[in-house]
């Protein structure tokens, strides 16, 4: 039924004010009189109706003239033993006062002599029925409030009300015969909702209704209908106010209940009809009030379900056979129904039934829509570039795909502070307190809202993006409000809006996040190696993040996972995170968890097998090994004790990095799974923990965190909401049954423990299956593995890994993008870009260094050939290999053999070399520094990224002389002749005119690019570039030195160190 607007009445209640207005506003006076006159008949009618109702309420059931005496007592409720009854003294049979009827007595055709109405001639039921049928609801109170209205519009919008209350209103209408358990179950449910969950709940039943609201009603069919109608109206109002209303009425007539349902549906209020279906014979056995016994004795007549009808519901939402269920089981079913439909949350239901809303009540998906992608890509090209490493890329995926809901970007300073100090953040998704989007605006430290946001959600792990002073200055000196995020391989993957740059207080973050002191901890090392600043801001993903490693089919967004759970018909989801291969013990625990959930009443619990996909430490089992082993587990199904049913299991890689922060981190693990629809999270001992390094202050080579603390903290963490925890139990291998299970205390000698350490040792030794009838207690000595421990093909994969663990190029440790190298079409690449196996050679020249000419033919002297080693924006440190055959281009390595990357920022230049040049170490500068023993380096400052290995005619503009660890390292500055600005930029002065600040950025880069790796600043021979002619002189000198190196110079004497170079190409040999 619609809500109506205020009637425009203009009648004042205060006579003095009315009198004043009569003197001042006669025109308005006449208009008010007209309105009153128009509405007077209605008012009179209402008064007459009220008078009739009053008179009738003062009369009883016996025919008599209306007068002033007290009314006779109401008839007793035949279904309520506590009701007053009238019993014949001679027969002992209960009788009831005559119910007013529409039929009249012999004298009913006439009124009393005074003209008064004889109440015996009136049926109240018929009167109510006619009144309700013939008159519209004269509601003139209020209109439906707009979205931004407040109480002045009479009613808050439902969404605002429910958000503030943290729940929605609903009516649970429990119907069934007397004694079926309506009050008992409603009481149990009310107790749970109020005490355990703090919800607003109220019960309406015969006891509290007939003492007030319905005290004027008898137990006639008409009055029963009116009782149901009134109760339904009250329930509608309660539920509209956000109260979970539990109604316990026999309400025997289907039509009456259907009218109540219709009333709720008109108002958009959830209505659940709960039918307590109990056989009459069972009710007679229960008979808590002795009523059925009295019926048997003939003391009660017209008893519903015995000699008065009860019309069963045709389509109830839930049927409770309470004679087959415990009270708590019935209450659980009702609770799960409310939970499934989002009634226990104030926010609108966003997810499929049975799946919880993400934290913050918003499904986050930050991918740019397809129709806007090209526009955003073009925008990103114009923005300052911010470097993100592969761990940052993992976090970007976490944010953009909705795994850290409600976070929509890298943390701003205020969000970080809340995360560090509270392991949670405050949110106001519906702007109840005026704090909406508070995490998406710049942190304000001088002004605070006087009201806290109403909702606290879990957020225990800082998700931040660090940068160096180089990046900070580039952003602040630009005229842009946004920045582009660029990977180590130069791919622009996202736009970050309105960046907030603040100090990276590394020590505070580490101590708050980890609570331990261990400088050898791998993620702590990662934090300390980051830049001195953090950048916060909201992100837009320009495309789906793909790693192209053969595992992308198992990478699904939070929204996609919800859809898959829905397709499987899940009524709840429980997540099991894996960082190791899954053996039969894990499978046992997962299957047991599912069976336990079914015992709780769930029909179709779905398991989410959730391998951790982001960064992990170097000695963890690689991602591809784990995923492929999990595939075999699903393929085996239930045919093997180590298998899982693929019909009730979903495998999907969880994209976050592992940070090994113990109790702090496991809270994020659980919270993140909730964002994709999980209600349960399986937790083992020492979740997210690791052993301390040799540098650990308190626990070197021992667990950093107590094994029991993670589960305890998770169970009591702020903002966890309705997420529930399923704890591991210890399982062992039963050599009698050949399965993993909980040990039987009566025969412990039949159980053997297979720890992770023992499993790894057996795998390295290539253990084969044991005899199923003779399983030794010392598996290592026998070098066998019980057949029921792991699915056979899964075990073969594990053995293959541990026996080839040192072949690092073979495995995929964690999610790192594999991209096609951006190479020139005349080159040929081998190996995988980003690994030490990658190499690049030219198809037409034997050597990039020796065979490509110094200058293009028929070009002026200031034009040189520039060979690209590192394209613009790429940070992989590619370098020509002087000592390898063909002088191929490979990625430089760190001291530990890992591929080397620039970390100072995103290069704004193309980097490479001038062929047929060599900086001779024996040639000393005025400062006594010799050459760096490499070809001459080039920094090309055009506007486009050039292909790796491409040969580009480039106009020399000047040079800078870097002193790097006591060596002279000249950097020639040039602009590619293909660049649109090449025709007008002839020297460094022109460069700064057309591209302001470029020289300063080049100088800053050369001086400080190693500082982000913990090294000291470099030194320049002078803090300004050379002229073009000086740069050309350097080129000519180094070209002559190269000729000498190849034995073609003026001096053919032996060059020290030349034997370490590959000089056998035609160009070097003069062929």
């Amino acid at each position: 039924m619609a809500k109506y607007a205020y009637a425009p009445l203009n009648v004042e209640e205060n006579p003095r004010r009315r009198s004043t207005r009569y003197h001042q506003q006669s025109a308005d006076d006449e208009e008010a009189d007209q309105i009153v006159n128009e509405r007077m008949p209605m008012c009179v009618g209402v008064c007459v109706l009220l008078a009739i109702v009053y008179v009738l309420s003062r009369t009883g059931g016996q025919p008599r003239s209306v007068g002033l005496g007290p009314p006779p007592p109401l008839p007793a409720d035949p279904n309520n033993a506590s009701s007053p009854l009238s019993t014949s003294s001679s027969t002992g049979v209960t009788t009831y006062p005559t119910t007013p009827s529409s039929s009249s007595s012999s004298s009913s055709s006439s009124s009393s002599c005074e003209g008064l109405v004889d109440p015996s001639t009136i049926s109240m039921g018929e009167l109510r029925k006619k009144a309700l049928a013939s008159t519209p609801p004269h509601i003139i109170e209020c209109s439906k409030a707009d979205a931004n209205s407040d109480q002045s519009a009479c009613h808050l919008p439902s969404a605002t009300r429910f958000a503030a209350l943290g729940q929605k209103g609903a009516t649970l209408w429990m119907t069934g015969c007397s004694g079926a358990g309506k009050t008992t179950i409603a009481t149990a449910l009310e107790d749970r909702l109020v005490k355990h969950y703090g919800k607003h709940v109220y019960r309406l039943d015969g006891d509290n209704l007939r003492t007030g609201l319905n005290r004027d009603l008898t137990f006639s069919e008409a009055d029963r209908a009116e009782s149901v109608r009134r109760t339904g109206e009250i329930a509608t109002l309660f539920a509209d106010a956000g109260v979970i209303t539990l109604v316990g009425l026999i309400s025997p007539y289907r039509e009456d209940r259907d009218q109540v349902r219709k009333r709720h549906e008109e108002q958009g209020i959830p209505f659940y009809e709960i039918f307590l279906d109990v056989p009459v014979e069972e009710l007679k056995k229960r008979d808590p009030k002795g009523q059925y016994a009295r019926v048997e004795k003939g003391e009660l007549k017209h008893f519903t379900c015995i000699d008065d009808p009860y019309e069963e519901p045709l389509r109830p939402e839930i049927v409770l056979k309470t004679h087959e269920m415990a009270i708590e089981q019935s209450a659980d079913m009702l609770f799960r129904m409310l939970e499934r439909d989002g009634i226990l949350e104030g926010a609108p239901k966003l997810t499929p039934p049975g799946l919880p809303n993400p934290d913050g009540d918003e499904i986050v998906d930050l991918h740019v829509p397809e129709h806007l992608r090209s526009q955003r890509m073009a925008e990103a090209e114009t923005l300052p570039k911010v470097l993100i490493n592969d761990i940052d890329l993992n976090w970007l995926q976490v944010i953009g795909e909705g795994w850290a809901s409600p976070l929509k970007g890298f943390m701003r300073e205020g969000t970080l502070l809340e995360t560090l100090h509270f392991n949670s953040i405050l949110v106001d998704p519906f702007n109840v307190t005026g704090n909406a989007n508070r995490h998406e605006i710049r942190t304000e430290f001088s002004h605070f809202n006087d009201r806290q946001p109403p909702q606290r959600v879990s957020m225990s792990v800082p998700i931040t993006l660090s940068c160096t002073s180089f990046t900070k200055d580039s952003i602040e000196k630009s005229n842009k409000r946004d920045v582009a995020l660029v990977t180590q391989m130069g791919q622009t993957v996202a736009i970050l809006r309105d960046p907030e740059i603040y100090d990276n207080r590394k020590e505070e973050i580490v101590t708050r996040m980890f609570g331990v002191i261990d400088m050898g901890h791998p993620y702590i090392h990662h934090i300390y190696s980051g830049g001195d600043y953090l950048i916060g801001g909201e992100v837009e993903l320009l495309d789906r993040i793909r790693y192209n490693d053969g595992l992308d089919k198992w990478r699904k967004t939070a929204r996609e996972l919800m859809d898959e759970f829905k397709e499987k018909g899940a009524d709840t989801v429980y997540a099991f995170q894996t960082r190791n291969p899954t053996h039969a013990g894990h499978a046992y625990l997962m299957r047991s968890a599912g069976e336990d959930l079914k015992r709780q009443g769930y029909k179709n619990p779905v398991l989410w097998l959730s391998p951790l996909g982001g960064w992990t430490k170097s000695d963890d089992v690689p991602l591809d090994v784990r995923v492929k082993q999990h595939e075999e587990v699903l393929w085996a199904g239930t045919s093997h004790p180590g298998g899982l049913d693929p019909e009730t299991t979903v495998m999907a890689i969880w994209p976050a990095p592992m940070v090994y922060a113990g109790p702090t981190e496991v809270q994020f693990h659980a919270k993140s799974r909730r964002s994709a629809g999980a209600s349960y999270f399986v937790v083992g001992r020492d979740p997210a923990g690791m052993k301390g390094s040799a540098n650990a202050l308190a626990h070197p080579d021992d667990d950093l965190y107590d094994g029991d603390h993670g589960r305890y903290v998770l169970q009591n963490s702020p903002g966890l909401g309705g997420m529930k925890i399923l704890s591991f139990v210890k399982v062992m291998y039963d050599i009698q049954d050949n399965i993993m299970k909980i040990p039987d205390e009566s025969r412990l000698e039949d159980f053997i423990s297979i720890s992770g350490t023992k499993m790894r040792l057996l795998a390295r030794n290539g253990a084969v299956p044991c005899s199923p009838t003779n399983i030794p207690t010392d598996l290592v000595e026998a070098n066998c593995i019980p057949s029921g421990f792991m699915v056979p093909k899964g075990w073969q994969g594990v053995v293959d890994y541990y026996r080839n663990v040192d072949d690092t190029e073979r495995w995929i440790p964690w999610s790192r993008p594999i991209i096609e190298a951006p190479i020139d079409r005349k080159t040929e690449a081998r190996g995988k870009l980003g690994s030490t196996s990658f190499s690049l050679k030219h198809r037409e020249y034997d050597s990039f260094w020796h065979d490509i000419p110094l200058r293009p033919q028929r070009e002026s002297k200031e034009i040189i050939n520039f060979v690209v080693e590192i394209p613009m924006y790429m940070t992989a440190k590619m370098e020509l290999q002087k000592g390898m055959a063909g002088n191929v281009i490979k990625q430089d390595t760190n001291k530990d053999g890992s591929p080397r990357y620039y970390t100072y920022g995103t290069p704004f230049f193309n980097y490479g070399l001038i062929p047929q040049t060599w900086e001779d170490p024996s040639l000393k500068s005025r400062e006594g520094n010799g050459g760096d023993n490499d070809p001459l380096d080039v920094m090309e400052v055009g506007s486009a990224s050039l292909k790796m290995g491409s040969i580009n005619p480039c106009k020399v503009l000047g040079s800078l002389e870097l002193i790097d660890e006591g060596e002279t390292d000249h950097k020639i500055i040039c602009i590619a002749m293909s660049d649109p600005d090449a025709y007008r930029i002839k020297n460094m002065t022109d460069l700064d005119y057309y591209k302001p600040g470029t020289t300063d950025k080049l100088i800053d880069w050369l001086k400080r690019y190693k500082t982000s790796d913990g090294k000291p600043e470099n030194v320049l021979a002078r803090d300004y570039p050379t002229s073009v002619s000086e740069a050309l002189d350097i080129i000519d000198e180094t070209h002559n030195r190269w000729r000498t190196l190849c034995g073609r110079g003026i001096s053919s004497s032996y060059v020290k160190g030349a034997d370490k170079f590959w000089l056998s190409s035609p160009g070097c040999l003069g062929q």
Side-chain angles (χ1 to χ4, degrees), residues 991-1064:
L991 178 64
D992 277 332
Y993 179 80
Y994 291 108
K995 295 188 173 186
T998 302
T999 299
D1000 288 340
K1001 288 179 69 176
L1002 288 168
I1003 291 172
D1004 178 87
W1005 179 278
L1006 291 174
K1007 282 185 171 183
R1008 307 195 72 239
Y1009 78 94
K1010 291 184 178 180
T1011 59
S1012 56
D1013 296 322
K1015 297 180 180 179
E1017 285 192 18
N1018 292 323
V1019 176
L1020 295 180
R1022 58 186 188 183
D1023 288 336
Y1024 56 92
T1026 68
S1027 65
V1028 173
S1029 62
E1030 289 174 302
L1032 292 175
D1033 289 342
I1034 294 170
I1035 293 170
D1036 289 342
E1037 176 62 39
T1038 56
H1039 177 61
N1040 289 330
R1041 294 283 169 170
W1042 169 80
R1043 289 174 61 84
T1044 301
L1045 177 66
C1046 290
R1048 297 169 53 200
I1050 298 174
S1051 170
S1052 59
S1053 60
Y1054 171 75
V1055 176
K1056 184 179 179 181
D1059 57 330
K1060 297 181 180 178
F1061 298 155
W1062 187 76
L1063 305 174
S1064 301

Side-chain angles (χ1 to χ4, degrees), residues 924-936:
K924 303 296 183 181
S925 66
R926 290 190 301 270
E927 294 80 11
N929 300 309
D932 70 348
N933 208 24
D934 285 331
L936 206 53

Side-chain angles (χ1 to χ4, degrees), residues 587-646:
Y588 172 84
L589 292 170
M590 288 184 262
R591 288 194 301 268
S592 297
E595 292 166 2
D596 183 57
L597 291 172
K598 286 183 178 179
R599 283 191 290 271
Q600 294 181 35
Y602 291 106
K603 301 299 183 184
N604 190 32
V606 169
L607 166 66
W608 171 11
L609 186 60
S610 182
L612 188 142
W615 173 86
T616 53
K617 55 188 174 68
S618 59
D619 60 348
D620 277 356
V621 179
L623 174 61
D624 60 331
V625 175
R626 287 182 280 125
V627 170
K628 290 174 183 177
Q629 194 270 346
H630 296 348
E631 290 175 346
E632 296 299 337
V633 168
L634 292 174
W635 181 257
T638 57
S639 65
H640 189 279
L644 294 170
D645 184 359

Side-chain angles (χ1 to χ4, degrees), residues 178-433:
S178 178
K182 298 180 293 297
T183 299
T184 302
I185 293 169
T187 301
L189 180 61
E190 180 184 38
D191 189 78
R192 180 174 181 177
L193 290 172
V194 174
K195 293 181 180 178
H196 297 182
Y197 294 89
K199 301 303 176 183
H200 301 278
V201 185
Y202 196 75
R203 283 188 299 112
L204 296 174
D205 55 28
D207 291 338
N208 56 19
L209 291 171
R210 288 195 176 274
T211 56
L213 180 69
N214 292 344
R215 65 181 300 182
D216 61 317
L217 299 180
T218 70
F219 292 92
S220 67
E221 180 177 343
D223 279 10
R224 283 182 179 273
E226 175 63 8
S227 173
V228 170
R229 188 192 72 81
R230 291 183 189 179
T231 306
E233 291 293 333
I234 293 297
T236 302
L237 294 175
F238 275 27
D240 189 43
V243 179
I244 298 171
T245 309
L246 311 178
V247 177
L249 289 182
I250 295 174
S251 45
Y253 301 113
R254 189 177 299 128
E255 180 182 0
D256 299 339
R257 299 192 302 266
D258 289 347
Q259 287 298 316
V260 175
R261 178 188 292 275
K262 180 182 177 183
R263 186 77 175 93
H264 280 72
E265 290 173 349
E266 290 172 346
Q267 296 294 306
I269 297 170
F271 178 84
Y272 301 94
E273 188 173 27
I274 315 300
F275 174 37
L276 279 69
D277 184 9
V278 183
V280 171
E281 291 306 313
E282 176 66 28
L283 296 174
K284 290 179 179 179
K285 292 177 184 177
R286 293 181 182 178
D287 200 12
K289 299 178 181 179
Q291 295 170 306
Y292 288 96
R294 298 184 67 188
V295 172
E296 291 287 332
K297 295 176 182 179
E299 297 177 1
L300 292 178
K301 299 294 185 182
H302 304 293
F303 192 82
T304 303
C305 299
I306 302 296
D307 52 357
D308 256 15
Y310 176 82
E311 299 171 357
E312 295 184 357
L314 299 179
R315 291 178 296 277
E317 277 67 21
I318 284 185
V319 176
L320 296 178
K321 295 182 178 294
T322 61
H323 59 295
E324 299 175 357
M325 306 168 65
I327 294 172
E328 283 305 315
Q329 286 180 300
S330 297
D332 282 346
M333 284 188 66
L334 301 182
F335 176 84
R336 283 194 299 275
M337 176 188 69
L338 297 175
E339 189 177 45
R340 177 198 68 198
D341 293 348
I343 303 300
L344 304 183
E345 305 293 334
K349 182 67 173 168
L350 306 175
T351 55
L355 274 60
N357 273 4
D359 282 348
D361 298 309
E362 182 178 4
I363 296 177
V364 174
D365 185 344
L366 303 176
H367 293 90
V368 171
E370 180 66 32
H371 68 283
L372 295 175
R373 187 167 296 157
S374 59
Q375 177 184 331
R376 293 288 193 273
M377 290 292 292
E379 178 189 359
E381 288 300 314
T382 69
L383 299 176
K385 305 299 188 288
V386 175
L387 171 65
I388 62 172
N389 58 40
D390 288 343
I391 296 179
D392 298 329
L393 183 66
N394 291 162
W395 284 124
L396 179 64
Q397 183 182 5
V398 167
I399 297 166
E401 293 182 355
W403 299 100
S405 178
L407 200 64
K408 295 180 181 176
F410 287 101
M411 289 180 174
R412 297 179 181 274
E413 191 168 14
T415 308
L416 174 61
L417 288 173
E418 291 184 41
T419 299
L420 290 176
H421 291 269
F422 310 122
N423 282 359
S424 58
I425 59 175
L426 289 170
V427 296
D428 186 1
F430 303 99
N431 205 29
V432 173
T433 61

